[in-house]
Amino acid sequence: MSGIYALLILSSVLAVGTALKCYACGPNYKSWDDCKANSEKGTCADPTLTNCIKVEASVKDKDTGRTTSVYAKGCAKTCDKNDIKMCREGQLNGNPVTCSLHCCSGDYCNASSSLMASIIIPAICALISVVFTKIH
């Protein structure tokens, strides 16, 4: 059991100083498929950028009722919508902006256009941890 803890501690020490890697695209893409097709792998340049994000910002035109959405992926300091420029503005030309933000903290964790990948991986890790704890 102590071997598992030692391995976890060693891996966390080795990870210190390593910049986060995220997919980046947008913010001018009109669909997740378009964003994904144009995504690039990148390293977050600033060490305070500790989260990968996926953002969908939608603007509803008050006159026509038509909603237009744009999609983006990249690095962020926090998971607060108010810290994401395209979400923070609240209104664009007098039209309300709504924002959907997915935030994660592992390398390339913002790859998927669905939330499922970010939920399944931690769940599997937790299950493996419980199994190893019960075995030893």
Side-chain angles (χ1 to χ4, degrees):
M1 185 64 154
S2 62
I4 293 173
Y5 291 123
L7 184 60
L8 287 173
I9 292 169
L10 179 61
S11 66
S12 66
V13 169
L14 292 176
V16 172
T18 303
L20 183 65
K21 295 175 176 122
C22 301
Y23 285 97
C25 74
N28 299 321
Y29 295 106
K30 304 296 183 198
S31 71
W32 280 123
D33 288 338
D34 193 20
C35 188
K36 183 177 180 180
N38 293 287
S39 288
E40 296 181 7
K41 288 183 174 182
T43 300
C44 301
D46 184 338
T48 64
L49 300 173
T50 57
N51 300 285
C52 295
I53 59 168
K54 295 185 298 186
V55 183
E56 176 183 356
S58 301
V59 179
K60 185 171 185 175
D61 188 306
K62 291 188 300 188
D63 297 328
T64 65
R66 182 172 171 244
T67 300
T68 304
S69 297
V70 291
Y71 303 81
K73 295 180 182 181
C75 304
K77 288 183 182 183
T78 72
C79 296
D80 184 348
K81 289 181 186 179
N82 293 322
D83 292 336
I84 309 301
K85 184 178 181 185
M86 62 193 281
C87 295
R88 181 177 53 230
E89 296 175 7
Q91 289 205 351
L92 181 64
N93 298 327
N95 296 304
V97 176
T98 57
C99 203
S100 173
L101 172 67
H102 169 71
C103 191
C104 54
S105 59
D107 283 345
Y108 303 118
C109 60
N110 65 340
S112 165
S113 59
S114 94
L115 197 55
M116 287 308 295
S118 63
I119 294 170
I120 292 172
I121 292 172
I124 291 172
C125 291
L127 180 63
I128 290 171
S129 174
V130 168
V131 169
F132 276 113
T133 302
K134 293 195 184 260
I135 291 174
H136 290 89

